[in-house]
Amino acid sequence: MNVINVQLSEYSKHVEPFRQTYSNGLDTYIIRLQIEGICEALIDGQMREIRPGHLMLCKPGDIYDLRIGFGAGGAQLASDYYVMGNGPGMHEWWEQRMRPTLSMIAEDSRLKAIWHQIVLEKRRLDGGQPDIVDSLVWSLLMLIDRALDEAPDIPSPLASHALRMRQYIEEHTAEEITLAQVAHHTGLSVSRAVHLFKAHFGVSIIGYAQQLRLSHAVKLLDHSQLSLEQIAAEAGLGSYAYFHRLFRERYGISPGAYRKKQ
């Protein structure tokens, strides 16, 4: 991976009007994710409304104009994560594929967690260890590409809800989670959440959680010395009897027999 020179990366929260403009064009790449509130930005030559979940990708030479609190509603809370950087690594990533200047991605706590680590590393007195910063930023860029790939062709609140539910299940798969918890995460009723998830992914919420847990159990069978009972618990499948039944239904073999074949 080529070097990425991060000039600045922060989590910004604005409660007063704020404007940032580069009327002669940027001399750096800017990646910005809106977290809260609404603002305006110059996108492909025209001012556009920026809402939570909007990802902005700007390159050197682009005219940049970001306005917070200048709309009809006046000043309001708005927050975002951003990274400004240059270097061969940023150029390499940018040239890998075409990406829209503005896109809507689903909320992803993993992406924000990586971004937060970049911010903390850059706040060190020494400006952060370059190898660590490079690794973190490359991780961020790859997560951004995955988020772009998974974004629906036609952005809609329903598609965003479905993606948020899937991410919630993935993040809590080793825990006991209920349909009510998944639905509450997106502010939907249980019946609406169940229908929406199945319509988007072709599998039920419980079915998807089971797939994730069984996949994790297989990895533990392959690469750990945990007992079958411990694997059942570690994978979030509860009792060994339940683990045994699900495993046999999916793979046609018991967990014990599978391990002996490895």
Side-chain angles (χ1 to χ4, degrees), residues 166 169-170 197 203-213:
R166 188 175 69 178
I169 297 167
E170 291 170 352
F197 193 91
V203 63
S204 69
I205 290 173
I206 298 301
Y208 186 64
Q210 288 176 348
Q211 289 177 14
L212 291 172
R213 290 163 176 164

Side-chain angles (χ1 to χ4, degrees), residues 29 56 58 62 99 110 121 130 167 181 214 218 227 249:
Y29 293 93
M56 293 171 54
C58 303
D62 286 349
R99 302 177 185 85
R110 290 162 293 193
E121 185 67 20
Q167 290 164 1
Q181 289 172 325
L214 286 172
V218 168
S227 70
E249 287 176 356

Side-chain angles (χ1 to χ4, degrees), residues 124-229:
R124 291 173 58 93
L125 286 177
D126 60 3
Q129 186 172 325
D131 289 347
I132 294 176
V133 174
D134 278 352
S135 296
L136 288 170
V137 176
W138 271 109
S139 296
L140 175 69
L141 297 178
M142 289 186 283
L143 284 171
I144 284 174
D145 275 343
R146 185 169 69 179
L148 291 172
D149 289 338
E150 294 181 348
D153 293 333
I154 302 176
S156 72
L158 293 181
S160 178
H161 285 324
L163 287 169
R164 288 184 64 197
M165 284 191 284
R166 188 175 69 178
Q167 290 164 1
Y168 181 86
I169 297 167
E170 291 170 352
E171 292 168 10
H172 297 85
T173 187
E175 308 167 15
E176 290 187 16
I177 55 176
T178 65
L179 294 176
Q181 289 172 325
V182 177
H184 178 73
H185 180 66
T186 54
L188 300 173
S189 68
V190 171
S191 60
R192 185 63 174 139
V194 168
H195 174 78
L196 181 62
F197 193 91
K198 182 69 177 290
H200 274 266
F201 301 117
V203 63
S204 69
I205 290 173
I206 298 301
Y208 186 64
Q210 288 176 348
Q211 289 177 14
L212 291 172
R213 290 163 176 164
L214 286 172
S215 176
H216 184 45
V218 168
K219 295 182 179 70
L220 292 174
L221 287 168
D222 288 341
H223 304 294
S224 81
Q225 296 181 351
L226 295 176
S227 70
L228 298 179
E229 290 77 10

